[in-house]
């Protein structure tokens, strides 16, 4: 028997009614599998297509359309490749059921290492968990399945856990964002939250003594943010009611990461209410800054062009004239710029000038 050792510690996970509802959903899926076998019917799972942008609408964040309006994809037990995929999904459903029944949690990484021979790779596990979330209409944290935290938080913030422990985020270098964000109680007198796209920028700002200059909370997801980082930003925004700003590269990937924090991601659009933070103001680096500040230009790659074209057609982009304008500037320049090019303009430029000027001048998107 596979054993999981991390107890449930968030209020969401202590609600037995919620756990029982999810367990009944899993029982329904397994019962359908058994009945299909008994009746000689093809084994298949119908799930919402979480890669189809047409499945989403937009208000202040991405919203998944009603079930009757979304496209679906099928996992069918009819070929060697799909048989493995189908088997892995059913296998993980059984492990999640066991965890829910015992009141335990696991990281996706732990799930993988428990059954390496069957699961083969971490990517396969991640993909299967996304399918399971769509199948059950349930976010992963309600399944007791967490991603391994990679984001960092630093600044004028104390996080209180439900065991009465405290995490002081003024620790040198910041602290790793905890696994069970939903159980935390934030205590802070910070004036604003600043999200930065990259760990390198996070460390640069700390080296520039930004926490001495501003009473703020500094957060990075180290690139594309994991769920715990996004949950923390949402929690802090809801609780502290202070402004939220973000710095990202002036390139299609930086813009997309900003949009994920602000509007939500396609694969998790069903749970954007818990993850997206429409209150975020994009402070920079804006494509319009490239020529104004004479930033170092880096030629576009084919991947940059493809990403920019994808961004240009998304529902949240089309609803924001400022975003449309910035995308148009990138297309015209056919080049990009990194945050580091702003830092290189002068010593401690980000901390001593750029951030303060952008906020004071209200040069925000």
């Amino acid at each position: 028997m596979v054993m999981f050792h991390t107890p449930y510690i968030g209020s969401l996970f202590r609600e037995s009614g919620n756990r029982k509802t999810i367990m009944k959903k899993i029982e329904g899926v397994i019962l359908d599998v058994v009945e299909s076998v008994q009746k000689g019917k093809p084994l298949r799972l119908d799930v919402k297509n979480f890669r189809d942008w047409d499945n989403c609408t937009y208000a202040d964040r991405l919203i998944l359309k009603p079930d009757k309006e979304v496209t679906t994809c099928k996992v069918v037990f009819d070929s060697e490749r799909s048989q493995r995929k189908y088997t892995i999904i059913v296998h993980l459903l059984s492990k999640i059921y066991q965890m829910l029944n015992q009141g335990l949690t696991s990281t996706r990484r732990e799930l993988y290492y428990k059954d390496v021979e069957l699961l083969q790779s971490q990517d396969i596990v991640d993909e299967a968990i996304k399918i399971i979330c769509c199948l059950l209409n349930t976010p992963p944290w309600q399944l007791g399945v967490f991603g391994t935290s990679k984001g960092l938080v630093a600044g004028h913030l104390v996080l209180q856990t439900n065991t009465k422990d405290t995490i002081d985020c003024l620790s040198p270098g910041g602290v790793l964002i905890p696994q069970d964000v939903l159980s935390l109680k934030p205590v802070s007198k910070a004036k604003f939250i600043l999200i930065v796209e990259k760990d390198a920028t996070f460390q640069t700002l700390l080296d520039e003594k930004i926490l001495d200059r501003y009473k703020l909370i500094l957060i990075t997801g180290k690139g594309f943010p994991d769920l715990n980082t996004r949950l923390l930003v949402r929690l802090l925004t809801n609780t502290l009611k202070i402004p939220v700003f973000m710095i990202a590269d002036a390139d299609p990937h930086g813009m997309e990461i900003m949009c994920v924090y602000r509007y939500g991601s396609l694969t998790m659009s069903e749970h954007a209410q818990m993850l997206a933070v429409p209150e975020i103001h994009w402070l920079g680096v804006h494509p319009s800054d490239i020529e104004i500040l004479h930033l170092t230009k880096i030629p576009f790659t084919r991947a940059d062009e493809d990403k920019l074209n994808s961004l240009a057609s998304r529902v949240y982009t089309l609803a924001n004239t400022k975003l449309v304008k910035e995308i148009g500037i990138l297309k015209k320049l056919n080049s990009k710029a990194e945050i580091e090019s702003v830092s290189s303009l002068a010593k401690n430029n980000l901390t001593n000038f750029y951030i303060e000027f952008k906020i004071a001048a209200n040069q925000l998107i």
Side-chain angles (χ1 to χ4, degrees), residues 50-109:
F50 52 80
R51 291 191 177 88
D52 188 350
W53 282 101
D54 289 336
N55 282 343
C56 293
T57 57
Y58 169 78
D60 61 347
R61 69 196 82 200
L62 288 174
I63 300 171
L64 190 68
K65 291 178 181 177
D67 288 353
K68 293 181 180 179
E69 299 179 27
V70 301
T71 60
T72 60
C73 54
K74 296 176 176 61
V75 181
V76 185
F77 195 82
D78 66 352
S79 67
E80 184 177 347
R81 181 179 177 184
S82 64
Q83 285 173 4
R84 174 169 288 279
K85 189 173 185 179
Y86 189 100
T87 301
I88 287 171
I89 291 169
V90 174
H91 169 80
L92 289 175
L93 276 170
S94 71
K95 298 306 175 188
I96 290 168
Y97 187 91
Q98 176 186 332
M99 288 160 50
L100 289 167
N101 190 43
Q102 297 179 11
L104 305 175
T105 67
S106 174
T107 65
R108 294 197 299 268
R109 196 72 176 158

Side-chain angles (χ1 to χ4, degrees), residues 52-65 259 263-266 269 309-321 323-324 327:
D52 188 350
W53 282 101
D54 289 336
N55 282 343
C56 293
T57 57
Y58 169 78
D60 61 347
R61 69 196 82 200
L62 288 174
I63 300 171
L64 190 68
K65 291 178 181 177
C259 289
Y263 303 120
S265 62
L266 178 60
S269 57
N309 289 332
S310 174
L311 274 172
S313 64
R314 295 181 189 176
V315 287
Y316 51 67
T317 302
L318 297 173
N320 189 315
T321 55
L323 270 183
V324 171
I327 286 174

